[in-house]
Amino acid sequence: MGFLDLVRKRRSTRSFLPNPVEREKIERCLEAARLAPSACNGQPWRFIVVESQPLKDNLAEKAFSGPHKMNSFAIKAPVIVAVVTLPTKTAASLAGFFRRLSYPLIDIGIACEHFVLQATEEGLGTCWIGWFNERAVKNSLTLKGLERVHILLAVGYCEREPLASGKRKNLEEMSEYR
Amino acid sequence: MGFLDLVRKRRSTRSFLPNPVEREKIERCLEAARLAPSACNGQPWRFIVVESQPLKDNLAEKAFSGPHKMNSFAIKAPVIVAVVTLPTKTAASLAGFFRRLSYPLIDIGIACEHFVLQATEEGLGTCWIGWFNERAVKNSLTLKGLERVHILLAVGYCEREPLASGKRKNLEEMSEYR
């Protein structure tokens, strides 16, 4: 499958089968994420694959309650990956200060998308989730104060064909040549 | 080529041939970026493909002078893509405020990596650049005040085999199962 076909195949899955996900598939997704480029090669990430009970259900129920209920579909995902953003190395952090931007967020975007695209190739469904109760997730996983969990990835087999992707801008609208 | 092979093939290219890059290749890279997922499907990006003279050289020389000289290798790239980060849509911007995080940076990470991986498949070399004189780039492209250029991508044919990627953490160091 060419890369563009893989990109077209990736959809946000919001309806999961209860079937467990094979460890070797997750392992290859992690390997794809591991090899992602990052600012100053800082690799500011740790992927916590939450799959065992009762931890997974507890985490999901707390993460997606109250104002975050709109993402409660993810409670049914057999695997939830909590992506921990680590504090940056000095060079990237100093450069980020001068540039008024957080490189680790860009890095997290790259590494998680590597995970997601490999999962797509493995026949798995995924959903990026950025709206959840981070404090509850950190408590469930007993993470340290400065560590952030910016992103959760819901992973599993799709119960049914995911909805088509949201409408994208045309090429002419999102790009130009000069 | 499987996705993991593509990921392994991608390297940061810092030495470019002067050969121009075919428009249809760039077009497929933009298509891959266009289809990237983003928070609330906000697509907060515009890709300005700078390839014509004297604009490309002027932009590159100004972007990579003074404290940014360490990236002056990119002056030789036949194509420089300035990735404009657009202000977010209200939903993503409100959620980002509550979550203390900038979703557009994550989105830019995803979309640019789609571009870069498609370029790799096309046999092109690329380099992510996050350290450059943004004000000079904005002036060269006459961009508006609120628009940010967080990332430049240098694109072209490799003059020689790029260096091996920086050493990555082991799987055990960057991931765990719970």
Side-chain angles (χ1 to χ4, degrees), chain A residues 27 99 103 130 134 148 177, chain B residues 99 103 130 134 148 177:
Chain A
E27 203 90 352
R99 292 270 285 116
Y103 292 108
E134 181 179 351
R148 294 284 315 259
Y177 293 85
Chain B
R99 291 271 285 116
Y103 292 107
E134 181 179 353
R148 295 284 316 259
Y177 293 86

Side-chain angles (χ1 to χ4, degrees), chain B:
Chain B
M1 176 160 45
F3 180 64
L4 260 173
D5 292 321
L6 185 64
V7 162
R8 288 192 189 105
K9 196 176 159 200
R10 187 215 58 81
R11 301 276 175 82
S12 293
T13 300
R14 293 192 174 81
S15 163
F16 294 96
L17 291 169
N19 311 22
V21 178
E22 298 84 343
R23 201 43 99 78
E24 59 270 26
K25 292 194 171 187
I26 298 286
E27 202 91 353
R28 285 190 292 267
C29 296
L30 291 170
E31 177 66 5
R34 189 180 80 85
L35 298 173
S38 55
C40 305
N41 194 28
Q43 309 164 63
W45 50 64
R46 198 165 78 249
F47 286 71
I48 305 182
V49 180
V50 184
E51 53 175 9
S52 67
Q53 292 297 355
L55 179 64
K56 202 273 298 169
D57 277 1
N58 284 346
L59 178 146
E61 271 156 32
K62 284 178 193 155
F64 307 120
S65 61
H68 306 94
K69 210 176 169 75
M70 60 181 288
N71 286 327
S72 60
F73 70 87
I75 294 174
K76 285 204 175 166
V79 176
I80 290 183
V81 182
V83 184
V84 183
T85 310
L86 306 176
T88 30
K89 286 166 46 165
T90 321
S93 141
L94 201 66
F97 172 77
F98 284 116
R99 291 271 285 116
R100 293 185 296 121
L101 83 90
S102 166
Y103 292 107
L105 285 179
I106 297 180
D107 298 340
I108 287 291
I110 303 171
C112 289
E113 186 64 357
H114 277 209
F115 186 110
V116 159
L117 289 168
Q118 181 63 32
T120 306
E121 191 166 274
E122 302 286 351
L124 293 165
T126 54
C127 194
W128 279 83
I129 304 175
W131 182 244
F132 56 88
N133 186 332
E134 181 179 353
R135 186 185 297 250
V137 170
K138 287 184 63 174
N139 283 343
S140 293
L141 300 174
T142 60
L143 297 179
K144 287 183 226 138
L146 278 176
E147 293 177 332
R148 295 284 316 259
V149 180
H150 291 120
I151 293 294
L152 296 178
L153 299 172
V155 186
Y157 287 98
C158 306
E159 192 180 37
R160 49 179 176 268
E161 186 77 7
L163 297 174
S165 293
K167 194 170 162 17
R168 298 294 195 269
K169 295 173 189 169
N170 297 331
L171 263 186
E172 297 69 35
E173 206 180 336
M174 57 71 77
S175 66
E176 59 181 295
Y177 293 86
R178 292 208 198 166

Side-chain angles (χ1 to χ4, degrees), chain A residues 14-100:
Chain A
R14 293 191 173 81
S15 163
F16 294 97
L17 290 169
N19 312 21
V21 178
E22 298 84 344
R23 202 41 100 78
E24 60 269 26
K25 292 194 171 189
I26 298 286
E27 203 90 352
R28 284 190 291 267
C29 296
L30 291 170
E31 176 66 6
R34 188 179 79 85
L35 298 173
S38 55
C40 305
N41 194 29
Q43 309 165 61
W45 49 63
R46 197 166 80 245
F47 286 71
I48 305 181
V49 180
V50 184
E51 52 175 11
S52 67
Q53 291 298 354
L55 180 63
K56 203 272 300 169
D57 277 2
N58 284 345
L59 180 146
E61 270 156 32
K62 285 177 193 154
F64 307 120
S65 62
H68 306 96
K69 212 179 166 76
M70 61 181 287
N71 285 328
S72 60
F73 69 85
I75 294 173
K76 286 203 175 165
V79 176
I80 290 183
V81 182
V83 185
V84 182
T85 310
L86 306 176
T88 29
K89 285 167 43 162
T90 322
S93 141
L94 201 66
F97 172 78
F98 284 115
R99 292 270 285 116
R100 291 187 296 119

Side-chain angles (χ1 to χ4, degrees), chain A residues 94-151:
Chain A
L94 201 66
F97 172 78
F98 284 115
R99 292 270 285 116
R100 291 187 296 119
L101 83 90
S102 166
Y103 292 108
L105 286 179
I106 297 180
D107 298 339
I108 288 289
I110 303 171
C112 290
E113 186 64 357
H114 277 208
F115 186 110
V116 158
L117 288 169
Q118 181 62 32
T120 306
E121 190 166 274
E122 302 285 350
L124 294 165
T126 54
C127 194
W128 279 85
I129 305 176
W131 181 243
F132 56 89
N133 186 333
E134 181 179 351
R135 185 185 298 249
V137 170
K138 286 184 63 175
N139 283 342
S140 294
L141 300 175
T142 59
L143 296 179
K144 287 182 229 142
L146 277 176
E147 293 177 333
R148 294 284 315 259
V149 180
H150 291 119
I151 292 295

